[in-house]
Amino acid sequence: MANVTFKGNPMTLVGTEVKVGDQAPDFTVLANDLSQVTLADTKGTVRLISAVPSIDTGVCEAQTRRFNEEASKIDNVNVLTISADLPFAQKRWCAANGLENVKTLSDHRDLSFAEAYGIHMKELRLLARSVFVVDSNDTITYVEYVGEGTDHPNYEAAIEAAKAAK
């Protein structure tokens, strides 16, 4: 399993770590209108999945904004930002920040995504900061488990992986 800390404190990750070449595990999360969303709902497209601990924090906000900006420049890519925040908080945050190219999804109900991708931080019941790229055939082509939860991911590598995926 990936070694992850949050503010310097070691975290226990629950779930199954995924690797490049794996078939992407399915999951069920909630959209801002409380409808269920699964990986299959975006089948046939490239998915850049950005997992954040909470949309209301500085690094998470910057990460979501950066991928939102880049999404408009990449054809056939869905950018999904997933956190354990409530769908209502995500909707309010997106409206206040004018983000249109990224879909915020909530894993608060049962941490389905977090456990399928091995990023449920047991001590905090939050998602560990990470980025995954899934191609149109549901194969994982890029994985980054960010070692320290308050650090930024490697934006350039994730964006290049999304551009290269088919």
Side-chain angles (χ1 to χ4, degrees):
M1 289 294 289
N3 290 321
V4 171
T5 59
F6 193 83
K7 295 185 178 179
N9 298 308
M11 294 288 114
T12 305
L13 296 182
V14 177
T16 305
E17 183 175 355
V18 298
K19 295 177 177 38
V20 170
D22 288 352
Q23 276 298 112
D26 203 5
F27 54 84
T28 302
V29 292
L30 297 177
N32 294 167
D33 65 0
L34 301 179
S35 62
Q36 291 188 2
V37 176
T38 68
L39 182 68
D41 291 333
T42 54
K43 187 159 186 66
T45 67
V46 174
R47 280 67 49 101
L48 189 157
I49 305 172
S50 172
V52 298
S54 177
I55 198 84
D56 282 325
T57 63
V59 176
C60 299
E61 180 176 331
Q63 181 173 333
T64 303
R65 283 183 181 283
R66 176 73 184 270
F67 287 134
N68 178 70
E69 291 168 16
E70 297 296 336
S72 64
K73 303 174 192 170
I74 308 171
D75 291 332
N76 199 37
V77 171
N78 276 294
V79 177
L80 311 175
T81 294
I82 303 177
S83 72
D85 294 307
L86 292 174
F88 314 111
Q90 291 177 339
K91 183 176 182 178
R92 183 178 60 248
W93 185 89
C94 284
N97 289 282
L99 298 187
E100 301 170 357
N101 298 316
V102 66
K103 295 178 185 96
T104 55
L105 300 167
S106 175
D107 202 18
H108 87 95
R109 187 173 58 186
D110 57 12
L111 298 172
S112 169
F113 172 76
E115 293 191 3
Y117 287 72
I119 60 168
H120 167 196
M121 293 188 290
K122 182 179 177 181
E123 292 81 359
L124 301 174
R125 199 180 186 284
L126 296 174
L127 280 61
R129 186 175 316 284
S130 47
V131 182
F132 308 92
V133 174
V134 179
D135 71 13
S136 60
N137 295 311
D138 294 340
T139 300
I140 296 174
T141 64
Y142 178 84
V143 173
E144 180 184 5
Y145 291 93
V146 179
E148 166 53 48
T150 59
D151 289 345
H152 289 268
N154 185 337
Y155 297 111
E156 292 75 20
I159 293 161
E160 287 307 312
K163 287 178 180 177
K166 297 189 184 328

